[in-house]
Amino acid sequence: MRLNMKLAQRAGLAIFALWFPLAAVAGEAVPVAEDPVLEQRMIALSEDLRCLVCQNESLAGSRAELAQDLRQEIRDQLRAGKSDKEVINYLTQRYGDFVLYKPPLKPLTWLLWFGPFVLLIGAAGGFYLYLKRRGARLAGESLSAEEKQRVEALLRNNGNES
Amino acid sequence: MIPELGHFSLILALLLALVQGILPLAGAARNNPAWIAVAKPAARAQFLFVAIAFGALAWSFLSNDFSVINVTRNSHSRLPEVYRFTATWGSHEGSMLLWTFILGMWTVAVTLFSRHLPDDMVARVVGVMGLVSFGFLLFLLSTSNPFLRMPMAMDGSDLNPLLQDPGMVVHPPILYMGYVGFSVAFAFALTALLSGKLDASWARWSRPWTTAAWSFLTIGIMMGSWWAYYELGWGGWWFWDPVENASLMPWLVGTALIHSLAVTEKRGSFKAWTVFLAIGAFSLSLLGTFLVRSGVLSSVHSFATDPARGLFILIFLAVVIGGSLLLFALRASQVGLGGRFALVSRESFLMVNNILLLTATGSVLLGTLYPLFLDALGLGKISVGPPYFNSVFVPLVSPLIFLAGLGPLARWKQVNVPELAHRLKWGFGASVVAALLLPFTQETWQPLVSLGILLALWIAVTVVISVRARMRTAAGWSANFYGMHLAHLGVAVTVIGVTMVSSYQTERNMRMAVGDTVTMQGYTFRFGGVTDVTGPNYTGARGMLEVSRNGKPLTTLYPEKRVYVASGMPFTESAIDYGFTRDLYTALGERLDGGAWSVRLFHKPFVVWIWIGSVLMALGGFMAITDRRYRTSRKKGRVQA
Amino acid sequence: MKRFLIPLGIFIVLVIFLGIGLKLNPREVPSPLIGKPAPDFRLALLSDPSRQMSPADLRGKVWLFNVWASWCGSCRQEHDLLLSLARQGSLPVYGMDYKDQPGDAQAVLARFGNPYVETFIDLDGRAAIDYGVYGVPETYLIDKNGTIRYKHTGPLTREVLDGKILPLAKELQR
């Protein structure tokens, strides 16, 4: 099937070569949206919002009818001069925090937002303590003659190999 | 008849898996050579029967046997032959069978490439894998039998159109090669815990298997990402969907495992930690299976779900992972400490790498499951999506990538800091200056772009320094050494791709009538109209966009909109002109009034670098496996305990 | 030994949550509007499109607000239940015809029976958005003060109606 596409593409190229002079007189296309700046704002906003009827898609990416309606609603509200925050409030009043892909920071989401960094600090601290304890334990073990030999072998072997 | 043969083979495979799981493990525990000897033949026979079952299912699909429920639900008589074959693993049942099939392949591979290993060790590894296989076969036969029949249907309801794609021919098998491949590292880890022999040679033996699985998983994820890019019609390459996260988590832990195995093999340190990671990587593979198939999370890609299946996998998870972690808790404390090292040493750097990778894994897990936690506690519903993951992931991964440059140049045991700083100061300085200046060649300067470029250049510079240093010494070819550097370079390439496309993508949604043109980033797109197309199992509209640059024709793109006959669902087929420094991505939207169409046009700078980098990472992994020392047997590993 | 038990502990907690998760529906969105005043609107009625009505006109009554459409297959599933509720007469049911052709909706009611006292016509779905409707059918229980007390998403079932909605309605009617 892909092969067919390739053929079709080649054929298309041939047609294109014939057609090219026409291209010069063609008109400049216009954006689908009446107001592209507003549209950009709408898309940026709806990318972080969840489509409610879909499995897991953003409002911006969904083709569902409700998503289209909500995009239109957002467009209208932005046009009416509402701020991004007001639009988001409008949606959370109706659908709850579920519509937000970026959960708001509140006590219920502290664990979510701070968890990773607490985990990082905890793990780093744990590793540091482990190193200290380990150093102490290793220092406590006196080296036997056999172990000394091994250490020397290690030192020799360990020059350049990664 | 053929489906019954498959069904029967599955039952035989189940019994053989039980034998393979019990006798060798018992034999190794009691030192009974006869029982130990059962391991290899049982594993191979089990695989043979799973293969027969798999073949039977594939045959049912290829021959349009619509008396098999699974075929009716996932195929159609007008589905092209290739997709009838790939539909074999397009459903939950079939993909589970593929999973088991691949598990069998890995087990047979272990039996073939383990001649230099002690027999009792092989027996334990094969035994553990047999038990895992038993669980999956039981799952298949009890809740997800792909061979169930019903009265002959007239025709099937077709394979999900999203899966009717060449990428889907190879993506699932490769991805599963990765997921399931971690079962080998897992089995090695359990073997070490069971036998108490947790030495450097253990790490040496399990290293190539882990790296192989990781490389497959890397390719599998990369293909999934690429598929989402061209197939979902939005040009996104990562959505932080639960299913993607389910593949990313074992990958992150697998990456940590590869690095900690290096320490355990070379220096004998972090043994318990390495074993823990080996259990973790496979556990997360299993967890991913649960998340995708149980319906606890909503995802774009999830399979049709069934609570009975979810319950089965959950119990299976609890037994396999819970049992392993219990064994770990009982045995890990008896492990020795390994070699001495200072606070600033390659050992420490690798541990910091592990900490960052595990924290990243923890964050992905937390973000993926947090909505479930709140819901389970009755605290309301929330969604956690890309904004969360991006804001948590970037700060964790940036230092990790910085370390990837530093680590290979750091000495084991103790880093001579002034010496290392001296070697790297020019490289670092040059990377910083270039990273600050390069973004000015684009329209805007953004701090994140500079950060991305800095990290990528830093890796590139350190790889050059490291390789030059090695070439100056007499050390010869080392597949391991060069494989590692290739993989690190791959990271740099991916970072460039991610940085550029996230910051400098251009997108237009235009209204185009025949002959209309759009100029974007120096490329002119001329709309040549829409023609009707009829595929084998769909009808649709094909747009034509002639692309030119500076008046010179470049290519013609044919984005399509298809409606599949059986499902009646509309789908977008994007058309892409791939390029080394940019992709031109086009998708056909809706028909508008006045004969015009809405057309989406994207200019995506360096987007292919994301996948090129991933391929380099995987190639680096495959290269490292060929290292000679994995083939030489026990002798060499003994020096270091 | 103890610190090696930490992963097992975390895992057990995880399994418990996943087990609870099996019983939950990740796609069901709880309404933040419960306990809040029912959003107001003024819409034409299906019985006579020249007449308009608003939820405010229903103050002092406990009523069931059912959002449906003629194109919605699962709405047909709950239709009989709504009819029997209407016959019983203990709780008035008002409908809202969501993004539909009024003619189609009238045809459905003519053919299967009309459980609704009145049906609002929400042609563009704007009013439904105010109620947080994300999939038809959806049903709201509204009290005498015009406060939303309960919401059910998806087709009504006998269990939900007899077990939750009717007892709550009885209490509110007192």
Side-chain angles (χ1 to χ4, degrees), chain B residues 49-50 81 83 90 135 167 265 287 289 304 344 347 382 392 447 469 515 566 625:
Chain B
F49 284 109
V50 173
E81 198 154 36
Y83 301 136
E265 189 211 349
L287 181 71
T289 314
V344 185
E347 285 93 328
I382 63 160
V392 172
I625 303 167

Side-chain angles (χ1 to χ4, degrees), chain A residues 1-6 8-9 63, chain B residues 161-162 164-165 230-234 527 529-545 556-564 569-576 585-591 597-600:
Chain A
M1 207 195 66
R2 288 278 134 164
L3 201 74
N4 285 344
M5 285 290 279
K6 282 261 164 60
Q9 267 164 3
R63 271 182 280 264
Chain B
L162 285 175
Q164 298 185 26
D165 178 88
Y230 66 73
E231 189 68 24
L232 295 184
W234 271 86
F527 190 57
V530 166
T531 49
D532 289 341
V533 283
T534 309
N537 55 345
Y538 62 87
T539 58
R542 173 184 293 169
M544 178 182 172
L545 284 161
T556 306
L557 296 171
Y558 299 93
E560 286 184 25
K561 241 182 126 69
R562 293 179 183 172
V563 176
Y564 283 81
M569 295 216 279
F571 280 88
T572 315
E573 280 282 304
S574 59
I576 303 166
Y585 186 110
T586 62
L588 195 61
E590 314 295 319
R591 187 194 290 275
W597 284 74
S598 77
V599 181
R600 265 175 196 285

Side-chain angles (χ1 to χ4, degrees), chain B residues 485-504:
Chain B
H485 282 92
L486 184 61
H488 283 179
L489 265 184
V491 173
V493 172
T494 296
V495 167
I496 291 280
V498 171
T499 305
M500 295 302 284
V501 80
S502 323
S503 304
Y504 297 125

Side-chain angles (χ1 to χ4, degrees), chain C residues 58-63 142-147 172-174:
Chain C
L58 298 169
R59 281 289 159 85
K61 259 199 264 191
V62 178
W63 53 291
I142 296 169
D143 71 9
K144 290 178 184 173
N145 304 320
T147 305
L172 293 170
Q173 275 162 341
R174 247 183 256 143

Side-chain angles (χ1 to χ4, degrees), chain A residues 16 26-27 29-30 55 98 108 134, chain B residues 298 337 370 383 385 511 515 517 553:
Chain A
F16 178 67
V30 292
Q55 280 289 347
F98 187 77
L108 269 184
R134 185 176 191 276
Chain B
S298 90
L337 286 175
Y370 207 79
S383 302
R511 177 199 170 88
T517 59

Side-chain angles (χ1 to χ4, degrees), chain A residues 1-2 4-5 8-17 19-20 22-33 39-40 43 47-48 50 54-57 59-63 68 71 95-104 106-121 123-128 130-131 133-135 137-141 143 150-151 153-155 157-162, chain B residues 83 165-166 232 234 240-242 266-267 269-270 298-300 302 337-343 346-348 351-352 355-356 358-359 362-363 366-367 370 374 379 381-388 391-392 395-396 411-413 470 473 475 478 480-481 484 507 509-512 515-519 526 528 538 542 544 546-548 551 553-558 560 562 572-573 590 592 598-599 629 636 639-641:
Chain A
M1 207 195 66
R2 288 278 134 164
N4 285 344
M5 285 290 279
Q9 267 164 3
R10 235 174 257 158
L13 218 60
I15 295 168
F16 178 67
W19 275 14
F20 189 64
L22 283 175
V25 290
E28 190 73 12
V30 292
V32 172
E39 192 70 6
Q40 270 306 308
I43 289 173
E47 264 167 3
D48 288 351
R50 182 175 191 147
C54 317
Q55 280 289 347
N56 182 21
E57 278 182 276
L59 213 49
S62 170
R63 271 182 280 264
Q68 287 171 20
R71 284 200 296 265
Y95 302 103
D97 287 346
F98 187 77
V99 283
L100 305 177
Y101 266 138
K102 184 177 185 172
K106 50 188 189 183
L108 269 184
T109 58
W110 281 353
L111 180 62
L112 176 71
W113 282 105
F114 303 129
F117 298 98
V118 172
L119 198 65
L120 182 65
I121 292 163
F127 177 55
Y128 183 72
Y130 167 76
L131 277 186
R133 270 217 330 243
R134 185 176 191 276
R137 267 172 70 188
L138 278 173
E141 289 172 9
L143 295 181
R150 263 206 228 158
V151 168
L154 267 178
L155 285 173
N157 278 356
N158 236 320
N160 302 302
E161 236 180 317
S162 69
Chain B
Y83 301 136
D165 178 88
L232 295 184
W234 271 86
W240 296 105
D241 185 79
K266 289 279 173 188
R267 302 283 308 142
S269 306
F270 307 151
S298 90
S299 151
V300 197
S302 53
L337 286 175
R340 215 177 282 256
F341 59 88
L343 185 61
R346 191 191 280 194
E347 285 93 328
S348 286
M351 186 41 90
V352 174
I355 289 173
L356 288 166
L358 277 232
T359 308
S363 316
L366 189 66
Y370 207 79
L374 287 192
L379 296 171
K381 292 231 170 170
I382 63 160
S383 302
V384 179
Y388 169 80
S391 58
V392 172
L396 285 173
R411 281 180 176 278
W412 293 109
K413 296 209 281 189
R470 186 184 172 93
T473 66
S478 158
N480 203 48
F481 176 87
M484 168 187 74
E507 175 188 351
N509 187 11
M510 304 304 276
R511 177 199 170 88
M512 297 185 95
D516 279 356
T517 59
V518 176
T519 303
R526 184 181 174 282
Y538 62 87
R542 173 184 293 169
M544 178 182 172
E546 296 148 348
V547 187
S548 58
L554 200 68
T555 182
T556 306
L557 296 171
Y558 299 93
E560 286 184 25
R562 293 179 183 172
T572 315
E573 280 282 304
E590 314 295 319
L592 305 171
S598 77
V599 181
R629 72 168 190 280
K636 217 184 148 196
V639 189
Q640 302 143 4

Side-chain angles (χ1 to χ4, degrees), chain A residues 53 65 69 73 76 94, chain C residues 27 99 126 129-130 134:
Chain A
V53 278
E65 209 174 314
D69 289 354
E73 185 68 40
D76 293 349
R94 282 154 184 78
Chain C
R27 291 182 63 195
K99 297 194 82 170
R126 281 279 171 109
I129 287 179
D130 283 340
Y134 66 94

